[in-house]
Amino acid sequence: MAQMQFWDAIRRAYDEEMARDPMVITMGEDVAVAGGTYKATNGLYETYGGERVIDTPISEGSFMGIATGASMLGVRPVVEIMSVNFAWLAMDQLFNSAAKIRYMSGGQLMCPLVVRSPGGTAHQLAAQHSARMEKVFMGIAGLRVVTPSNPKQAYGMLKAAIRCNDPVFINEHERMYNLAGEVPDEEYFHPLEGSEVARPGRDITLFGYNISVHWCLRAAEELSKQGIEAEVVDLFALNPLDREGIKASVSKTHRAIIVEEAEAPVGVGSEVMAIINEECFWELDAPPARVSAVNTPIPYAANLEKLVIPTEKDVVSKVLEVLGRG
Amino acid sequence: MNPLSILSPSGAPREDADPAWSIERVTSLHRAMVRSRVLDRVMGDLQRRGLVSVFAPAQGHEAHIYGALIALRQTDWLFADVRQGAAALYRGFDLRGWLAQLLGASSSAHSGHAHPTEFTARAVNFVSVSSPVGTQIIHASGTAQGMKVKGTQDCSFVWFGPAAAASGDCHVGLNFAGVYKVPAVFYYASSGDPAADEARLGPGVFADRGEGYGIRAVRVDGSDVFAVYAAVSDAIAKARQGHGPTLIEGITGGPDGTADPVARLEGYLTARGEDAEGLRRTIESNFEAEIRGHIDDLLAEGPPETASMFDDVFASPTSQLSEQRAGLETHRRRFAGGVID
């Protein structure tokens, strides 16, 4: 096991898959000559050339459609959208073509397409560079959605997504590319469905994904000092969500909080709460709760930006509230 | 830019451009065009009877379609607009399967999942239009880029009309093609109503847009199947040689606005001593009988099995889809002979 930064784990996955399979290509804004805004495609252009590592015109609808068309031919494109906010421009291609063509053609065609994109607040990038959009992608039939919380997942998910014959959206975070963590030395494929217990506990379940897993882990550490053992479940797959994993943990702890950086409406939290209601309502000792952003676009000023999204302190106080100790 | 034209409205070829094909080749092309017209008529009839929800006839567009098809090879990929569904038949897709898709019958290769105009035939490299028209232009550019990655000598060919031409997808698809010099041929077919086209696209000549993208562009008389063949052949040869894409503007109805592509080819056949009308009548009656026979069989066959609604969402079903499929079975047992079956 070597320590590796998140961006480098992604780069390694690309490199291994592109070396193995000449049909794997990548495209997006500044992915080639510049090596990617977050260095995730660093060096690929030099190794694999301009036919396979493509700096596209700045037009998300264009390169999502180009990748969709190429994927019908059996090419495996990995598209990087520099900021997930710009994915709105590519929605028709992703939702109406890539996600539906297998179904519409009765399985004659497939789109083995991977889209990677970071969302989330970074450092004063404001409303059009900071949105969380996983809630938009996760409800679309035919599109898999995963979201890595650490470099090992980032590496293993990209490798699995490239080999998957479905379109896969990988939701990353702008502030996580320098996060270091252990990545296996040998080849590793992370499942594209399921969830994992990031920290076992008995008193309450904290459901997180991507960056909020870290808030949950820090909150659990803090709560442990107060004698509260929180279980942290990493929902690394958002479509499909792991109903069994959600049910298993809530049936054990009998309390649940979903922690998300996005604003609450129609999001991961509301969906997980619905699943809890459907699967294990009678196991609950308290109503499930959410820790989410307020319902505003992300503001520019540093103080405001910090305030609109949750922190681990919000998680701690919500846990105390649910446990009746607030 | 003058449109390329070979056959006069009466079907007389320009002396310097008569392809002088064997009569078998010309009659085979004529057969395909007449069959297309029979399909239009029968599908229109099925639509009026409520058996097919939507069908866009190819009438008036036969030269755009068959002039291009005879120039392309089987390994080239075709991206259709709404009027070109029958092109898959010319490439060898089975007529019964084609009708099964339109009728949403159980033997449809699409499992009854696709809208009638959204016809895909992977076996013959034919990809459907999308309802948000224009997407096929980008897909064609993308597949052509994929052909470069694969190192094939194939090309992508896409038909589109004024609605798609007015979309943002047309711009970005052509822009990418111009930047990356992909092996693709973009075939714009006007509607046949110049005033309606002007209302969508403005008064300019559509092919002139090619220059702005650095894409070679030509105009062709779209009622002249020989001219379409010549323009497409030239474009494909350039694409295969690595000289990048071509934009072709095919003028529907011909420059005089009146020409009929089938009648024009029949004028040519007559001049070559064939009984064009006799040929047409034989094709019409034989093909219509063949179609009607399949339709009777397909209507007897019935609709797709209900559980097939869960097929092909993903490469393998998620646990939710498996649960929902199982739920359907439970429901069906409870209401056997009732609401679902």
Side-chain angles (χ1 to χ4, degrees):
Chain A
M1 286 269 197
Q3 283 281 320
M4 204 173 236
Q5 285 183 309
F6 203 96
W7 67 269
D8 200 22
I10 295 171
R11 190 209 51 76
R12 177 181 155 197
Y14 267 116
D15 193 23
E16 289 175 6
E17 293 304 301
M18 292 185 80
R20 177 189 64 87
D21 181 355
M23 290 300 103
V24 179
I25 66 172
T26 187
M27 59 178 77
E29 289 166 39
D30 293 338
V31 299
V33 177
T37 306
Y38 302 99
K39 296 200 288 181
T41 52
N42 199 28
L44 299 177
Y45 175 74
E46 289 72 14
T47 310
Y48 302 105
E51 294 280 326
R52 292 178 64 198
V53 185
I54 304 167
D55 274 334
T56 58
I58 301 181
S59 169
E60 287 71 15
S62 165
F63 55 78
M64 192 68 82
I66 295 293
T68 299
S71 72
M72 291 179 199
L73 195 70
V75 171
R76 293 180 177 270
V78 184
V79 170
E80 179 182 292
I81 293 186
M82 188 191 282
S83 163
V84 78
N85 301 257
F86 312 153
W88 284 117
L89 292 156
M91 290 307 194
D92 175 54
Q93 285 291 346
L94 187 58
F95 292 175
N96 269 322
S97 290
K100 291 180 186 167
I101 198 127
R102 176 188 288 280
Y103 193 75
M104 288 169 61
S105 70
Q108 295 179 74
L109 284 173
M110 61 179 189
C111 284
L113 163 73
V114 182
V115 183
R116 298 179 34 249
S117 188
T121 55
H123 302 288
Q124 290 191 269
L125 295 178
Q128 293 179 339
H129 273 90
S130 307
R132 303 304 319 251
M133 279 174 54
E134 55 280 1
K135 63 167 75 178
V136 179
F137 296 95
M138 64 187 275
I140 303 298
L143 178 66
R144 292 183 178 278
V145 180
V146 291
T147 183
S149 64
N150 58 52
K152 177 184 174 188
Q153 287 185 357
Y155 164 75
M157 276 179 191
L158 179 55
K159 285 183 66 88
I162 287 171
R163 298 202 194 184
C164 176
N165 287 334
D166 297 319
V168 181
F169 180 80
I170 304 181
N171 178 65
E172 298 168 359
H173 198 290
E174 299 206 23
R175 271 187 287 145
M176 289 170 68
Y177 288 109
N178 292 329
L179 178 76
E182 287 189 334
V183 178
D185 297 328
E186 66 280 8
E187 198 168 41
Y188 168 72
F189 295 89
H190 196 277
L192 301 177
E193 293 185 23
S195 62
E196 59 196 31
V197 176
R199 176 188 173 114
R202 57 165 194 270
D203 298 322
I204 188 165
T205 303
L206 303 176
F207 290 104
Y209 61 94
N210 188 256
I211 200 166
S212 72
V213 171
H214 300 278
W215 305 341
C216 293
L217 287 170
R218 289 200 288 268
E221 193 63 39
E222 180 60 34
L223 289 160
S224 180
K225 293 175 195 157
Q226 303 177 37
I228 298 165
E229 293 305 326
E231 174 148 303
V232 178
V233 174
D234 181 346
L235 298 171
F236 60 77
L238 299 181
N239 191 20
L241 273 166
D242 182 18
R243 301 178 78 91
E244 285 305 312
I246 292 167
K247 181 180 172 183
S249 183
V250 175
S251 300
K252 176 174 142 192
T253 64
H254 310 289
R255 292 176 181 86
I257 295 173
I258 305 98
V259 184
E260 57 195 347
E261 187 183 313
E263 61 275 32
V266 202
V268 176
S270 40
E271 192 57 29
V272 172
M273 286 170 101
I275 290 172
I276 292 170
N277 267 334
E278 288 164 355
E279 299 285 345
C280 49
F281 178 81
W282 301 106
E283 293 286 349
L284 289 170
D285 285 345
R290 287 180 284 185
V291 175
S292 318
V294 295
N295 296 4
T296 67
I298 303 296
Y300 171 71
N303 64 324
L304 301 180
E305 179 188 57
K306 221 170 169 178
L307 279 170
V308 295
I309 61 162
T311 66
E312 58 261 35
K313 287 180 186 150
D314 298 306
V315 181
V316 169
S317 55
K318 185 61 85 177
V319 168
L320 296 176
E321 184 187 319
V322 169
L323 291 172
R325 300 195 202 172
Chain B
M1 208 188 294
N2 285 326
L4 173 67
S5 177
I6 293 176
L7 287 174
S8 74
S10 65
R14 240 173 55 210
E15 264 180 40
D16 60 330
D18 184 352
W21 290 339
S22 70
I23 202 70
E24 290 74 23
R25 189 166 188 203
V26 185
T27 51
S28 143
L29 175 60
H30 174 250
R31 186 187 315 117
M33 292 168 74
V34 173
R35 282 162 71 108
S36 170
R37 223 158 252 201
V38 175
L39 282 168
D40 284 352
R41 192 169 60 240
V42 179
M43 292 308 113
D45 177 36
L46 294 183
Q47 198 177 346
R48 281 187 293 278
R49 288 167 61 197
L51 294 170
V52 168
S53 65
V54 181
F55 183 78
Q59 178 146 5
H61 289 250
E62 294 90 346
H64 300 311
I65 299 170
Y66 298 94
L69 283 172
I70 54 174
L72 290 152
R73 62 186 184 206
Q74 196 79 2
T75 47
D76 295 325
W77 278 52
L78 297 176
F79 291 85
D81 204 301
V82 293
R83 296 184 187 279
Q84 293 83 14
L89 295 174
Y90 184 82
R91 285 209 157 177
F93 192 82
D94 149 65
L95 175 64
R96 187 190 160 107
W98 190 86
L99 293 164
Q101 191 270 334
L102 269 90
L103 289 163
S106 71
S107 59
S108 157
H110 299 63
S111 312
H113 293 178
H115 181 281
T117 64
E118 288 162 0
F119 184 84
T120 290
R122 175 67 185 87
V124 297
N125 299 323
F126 180 93
V127 183
S128 152
V129 68
S130 294
S131 287
V133 290
T135 56
Q136 78 269 27
I137 301 169
I138 316 186
H139 294 163
S141 284
T143 305
Q145 176 67 23
M147 286 161 175
K148 283 168 67 183
V149 173
K150 283 196 151 181
T152 69
Q153 292 296 303
D154 299 327
C155 71
S156 289
F157 182 93
V158 56
W159 288 286
F160 61 103
S167 73
D169 289 9
C170 182
H171 164 64
V172 296
L174 292 173
N175 189 57
F176 186 92
V179 172
Y180 280 93
K181 302 199 172 12
V182 298
V185 180
F186 300 92
Y187 193 105
Y188 165 73
S190 65
S191 74
D193 178 348
D197 292 353
E198 186 173 331
R200 284 168 165 154
L201 297 167
V205 170
F206 189 76
D208 287 348
R209 297 184 184 191
E211 191 180 354
Y213 295 109
I215 295 177
R216 175 186 334 104
V218 295
R219 300 179 84 207
V220 62
D221 175 347
S223 298
D224 179 343
V225 70
F226 289 170
V228 171
Y229 168 80
V232 174
S233 297
D234 183 51
I236 294 166
K238 290 193 164 77
R240 295 204 206 292
Q241 289 157 9
H243 300 314
T246 301
L247 172 64
I248 300 175
E249 176 182 356
I251 302 159
T252 304
D256 58 1
T258 56
D260 174 344
V262 177
R264 217 187 271 199
L265 186 64
E266 291 185 349
Y268 175 81
L269 277 167
T270 306
R272 293 219 15 201
E274 295 297 312
D275 172 14
E277 188 169 338
L279 287 171
R280 171 158 41 82
R281 289 190 190 288
T282 309
I283 298 161
E284 283 172 347
S285 62
N286 290 348
F287 192 49
E288 178 150 355
E290 190 184 347
I291 297 169
R292 301 261 179 215
H294 286 308
I295 290 170
D296 291 344
D297 290 350
L298 290 164
L299 292 176
E301 173 186 295
E305 208 275 313
T306 44
S308 70
M309 74 169 82
F310 297 107
D311 292 343
D312 299 313
V313 180
F314 292 106
S316 53
T318 59
S319 53
Q320 281 102 320
L321 283 166
S322 300
E323 271 171 35
Q324 288 170 6
R325 182 189 286 264
L328 173 66
E329 295 305 318
T330 311
H331 188 83
R332 194 156 31 188
R333 277 195 299 277
R334 274 178 70 193
F335 295 100
V339 288
I340 282 203
D341 293 303

